[in-house]
Amino acid sequence: MNIIILNCNTNSTLTEALRAIAAAAAGPHTEIVALTPPFGPESAEGYYESFISAAAMFAALEEHQEPFDAVVLAGFGEHGREGLRQRWAVPVVDITEAGPMFANLVAHRYGVVTTLSSTVPVIWESLRNAGLHTRCIGVEASEIAVSSIHADIAEVAAALETRARELITRGAEAIVLGCAGFAGLDAELSHRLGIPVIDGVPAAVRLAETLVGSGMKTSKAQAFQPVNPAKEWKGWPPVANPVA
C-alpha cells in the first residue's frame, strides 16, 4: 500500500516531519511518500494562502509519476479536498475530517486548537462542509504561527494547553490538533489534560489504510464525476495530458 502525505505548504522540513509521523502510524506493509508543493507559501494561514496552497497541492500530485493508493491531505482546514476527490479515484483523507471523526468516536463534544485567528473561519467552513461542525464546541487560536512551532516546543505545548482548557470549560471532552505542524504533541497534551487529544495526521493515515484495505474508491457520481478530458486548459495542469 502506497499512501501520499501531501503537505499544504513549501516547508520541506515540515514535510519530512509529517512523513516520519505518518510512517510511525502506518502498518508494516504501507509505504509513506511525502510531497512538498512546487510553489506557494511557507505556511497557509488564511483564505488567500489556502487557495494558493490548494493549487500547489494539485500541481504536486500531477507531477508525481509513481502510482499511489490513497492521499492524506495534511493541511488543517485548507481548501482543495473536494477537487482532489474529483480529480483522483483513490481515497483522499483530509486531516480536518480525520481528527474530528476520531473525536466523535471517543467523545460527545470536541474542540479544536489551532494556529492564528485568521485560520479559524476557514476551519469552521471546512468542518461545516464535511458535516462535522455540530459537535464542535469551539475553535481556539493559539496565535502561534506555523513558522514558529518548532522554535520552542515547550512554549507551543503550553499555549495549546491553555486554549484546550478554555474549550474544556465550555464542554469539550476531546481536543483535536488543528494544524499538521502540531503533529506529535497529542500524547503530551492528552497526559496534561486527562482527555483524548487527536492528531489528524496518524488518524488520517489509519483511515486511509482502512479504506484502501476495504477496496474503497472515491465515488464518481455527481459531485466527483471525472473531469472532462476534452476540455481545453491554458497554462494548467503542469504536466501533459494529466486527465487523459
Side-chain angles (χ1 to χ4, degrees), residues 58 61-63 65 87-88 227 229 233 236-244:
F58 278 99
L61 269 187
E62 295 286 7
E63 292 175 355
Q65 297 300 308
R87 171 65 183 88
W88 283 276
V227 175
W233 292 69
W236 183 272
V239 294
N241 301 319
V243 299

Side-chain angles (χ1 to χ4, degrees), residues 15-54:
T15 301
E16 176 53 29
L18 293 173
R19 188 206 62 77
I21 288 169
H29 301 296
T30 297
E31 179 184 358
I32 300 294
V33 176
L35 300 182
T36 303
F39 61 86
E42 65 176 354
S43 61
E45 294 162 317
Y47 285 106
Y48 180 74
E49 294 166 349
S50 181
F51 279 115
I52 299 299
S53 292

Side-chain angles (χ1 to χ4, degrees), residues 67-90:
F68 50 91
D69 299 302
V71 178
V72 167
L73 184 56
F76 203 94
E78 307 309 331
H79 294 89
R81 175 178 65 207
E82 291 78 13
L84 285 166
R85 288 174 179 159
Q86 182 181 13
R87 171 65 183 88
W88 283 276
V90 302

Side-chain angles (χ1 to χ4, degrees), residues 100-203:
M101 284 178 177
F102 269 51
N104 283 339
L105 293 173
V106 297
H108 179 60
R109 294 188 295 176
Y110 71 95
V112 177
V113 288
T114 188
T115 53
L116 304 181
S117 56
S118 58
T119 69
V120 172
V122 186
I123 290 172
W124 271 119
E125 288 181 5
S126 185
L127 293 175
R128 278 193 290 269
N129 288 341
L132 294 164
H133 64 292
T134 57
R135 287 165 64 181
C136 179
I137 59 89
V139 179
E140 288 288 330
S142 64
E143 300 304 347
I144 294 176
V146 174
S147 59
S148 301
I149 289 174
H150 297 287
D152 190 337
I153 292 296
E155 180 182 346
V156 172
L160 295 180
E161 179 183 359
T162 298
R163 296 298 181 269
R165 291 194 183 280
E166 292 174 4
L167 291 165
I168 291 170
T169 63
R170 289 154 53 189
E173 300 159 8
I175 298 295
V176 175
L177 300 180
C179 175
F182 293 151
L185 289 172
D186 50 327
E188 172 63 22
L189 289 170
S190 182
H191 174 72
R192 295 187 189 189
L193 299 169
I195 61 173
V197 175
I198 294 103
D199 179 350
V201 175

Side-chain angles (χ1 to χ4, degrees), residues 69 89-91 210-218:
D69 299 302
V90 302
T210 300
L211 289 168
V212 174
S214 301
M216 292 291 105
K217 298 287 186 181
T218 298

